Amino acid sequence: MTSMTAPPAQSKFGTVLRVTSGNFMEMFDFFLFGFYATYIAKTFFPAADEFASLMFTFMTFGAGFLMRPLGAIFLGAYVDRVGRRQGLIVTLALMATGTVLIACVPGYASIGYLAPLLVLIGRLLQGFSAGVELGGVSVYLAEMATPGHKGFYVSWQSASQQVAIIFAAALGYGLNIWLTPLEIGNWGWRVPFFIGCMIVPVLFVLRRSLQETEEFMQRKHRPDTRAIFRSMVDNAGLVVTGMMLVAMTTVSFYLITVYTPTFGKSVLHLSTSEALIVTLCVGISNFIWLPLMGGLSDRIGRRPILLCITLLTIVTAYPAMAWLTNDPSFGKMLEVELWLSFLYASYNGAMVVALTEVMPVEVRTVGFSLAYSLATAIFGGFTPAIATGLIEATGNKAAPAWWMTFAAVCGLVATLVLYRKQEAKTLGSTTLPLRSS
């Protein structure tokens, strides 16, 4: 068999751009759905009570995350069997199909119950695809990284998502200036989704030019689907611990990005423009901190960063949110969201690469994807709905911080468990490299 090699060192930037392009598309769509939730609710899920309508929308948003574990298992096994490149092309095709559906489906007033059903199908397709997208991209970046810089390279998986947040927030800000609220509610909210559809062909060109990773091409044994599933059963404890490790990332991310515009408008009663500016700044902050902290984890190890940031989150998340909601203003919201952004990006910069390192190499994609998708399905995907429900149930506008604090506790426990196992294996002369060399 002829071996294909990974792109040479001088083309690393182009490789990172091509492999993370689908990540951009995934988060672009997910953010748009969260930001335009109030308009989507009125278009597809009309109800007498505004809270009920918004909850239907956020539950549909969350339903897509329930498909992620299935996508992780079946598409992840496919990627580990046939290769990283082909798998990333398939996930992009599924994601694009869901985007087109959401962009083009007429509203409830035109086609009745078929409208929310088609939107739900679009979200399920996107969720199925996303179940392995993050894993496929992270594993590809880990396998093409230069020695000693794995954390830095893998951090661009999440950094690419921040570009989508920045682009979507800037686009929403522009529409808010150019269109009236009535025009946005009637049809303007669809414009960013149509723009997403137009971007898809460009992303396909980028992904098709990818080469397979050298590490995968040199692997002599590639397990079949049955062997992959059996390995996942054997490593169930590792997957569950990995899921808890991801909980902090996925909850904090959806809290500070997807939920922020709704929180700013509906809860704090700030203007749409102010909420969008905050979200834009959060995306920029995330983009800066992610590679910096990923690179730092290459130097000092993953564990110190994971432990420090989870403890900081547990201590500061609720007090910061309470300070904001006690006397809300644009400036205070920006300060709090940037602090939460630092916590998210610092943790995630070390966490993602750590998760690629703990999974058995033969099932690295499916193992990573299953742990990540379970965390997103159970914790992160329903964060907007849980935050909305907590505020409604308690009357406390700072209540969403309790959810983030709980996720940080999960991350802290998972870090301690994983590294205790690492130390035990090291003593037993079987090393699992949680810190890259």
Side-chain angles (χ1 to χ4, degrees), residues 58 82 204 220 244 254 297 336 371 407 435:
F58 279 142
V82 306
F204 268 111
K220 296 180 179 180
M244 293 177 62
Y254 285 102
S297 76
V336 170
R435 175 178 176 178

Side-chain angles (χ1 to χ4, degrees), residues 156-360:
W156 289 101
Q157 177 261 100
S158 299
S160 67
Q161 297 179 348
Q162 312 315 312
V163 178
I165 297 296
I166 295 168
F167 179 65
L171 184 59
Y173 182 78
L175 288 175
N176 192 57
I177 294 175
W178 299 323
L179 302 177
T180 67
L182 182 62
E183 289 173 329
I184 294 176
N186 289 337
W187 56 269
W189 66 267
R190 293 184 186 266
V191 172
F193 286 95
F194 283 122
I195 292 175
C197 293
M198 291 187 290
I199 294 174
V200 167
V202 178
L203 302 184
F204 268 111
V205 171
L206 290 173
R207 279 262 167 111
R208 285 180 62 85
S209 63
L210 276 175
Q211 293 178 293
E212 187 55 80
T213 66
E214 184 176 2
E215 180 176 333
F216 181 84
M217 293 300 297
Q218 292 179 347
R219 191 176 307 152
K220 296 180 179 180
H221 173 65
R222 300 176 188 174
D224 57 23
T225 302
R226 179 177 296 181
I228 290 173
F229 288 172
R230 185 168 56 249
S231 178
M232 283 298 91
V233 173
D234 294 340
N235 289 280
L238 179 60
V239 170
V240 171
T241 308
M243 175 192 72
M244 293 177 62
L245 191 71
V246 179
M248 163 68 180
T249 276
T250 188
V251 167
S252 57
F253 177 76
Y254 285 102
L255 192 67
I256 67 175
T257 56
V258 173
Y259 182 64
T260 287
T262 300
F263 183 69
K265 291 183 298 179
S266 301
V267 179
L268 303 182
H269 304 296
L270 302 178
S271 70
T272 300
S273 297
E274 289 175 327
L276 277 170
I277 291 173
V278 170
T279 308
L280 179 65
C281 292
V282 165
I284 295 172
S285 172
N286 292 344
F287 183 80
I288 293 171
W289 284 115
L290 280 162
L292 286 177
M293 300 307 286
L296 182 62
S297 76
D298 287 326
R299 293 183 176 274
I300 68 173
R302 324 299 183 201
R303 174 164 52 180
I305 295 176
L306 297 177
L307 292 176
C308 178
I309 297 301
T310 50
L311 289 171
L312 268 177
T313 303
I314 292 168
V315 171
T316 66
Y318 183 79
M321 191 72 80
W323 176 73
L324 166 62
T325 57
N326 184 53
D327 183 24
S329 67
F330 168 75
K332 290 176 71 173
M333 184 178 183
L334 181 60
E335 288 182 45
V336 170
E337 292 289 335
L338 288 179
W339 171 247
L340 299 182
S341 163
F342 169 75
L343 295 176
Y344 153 75
S346 299
Y347 181 86
N348 193 68
M351 187 281 299
V352 176
V353 64
L355 192 59
T356 67
E357 291 168 341
V358 300
M359 294 298 165

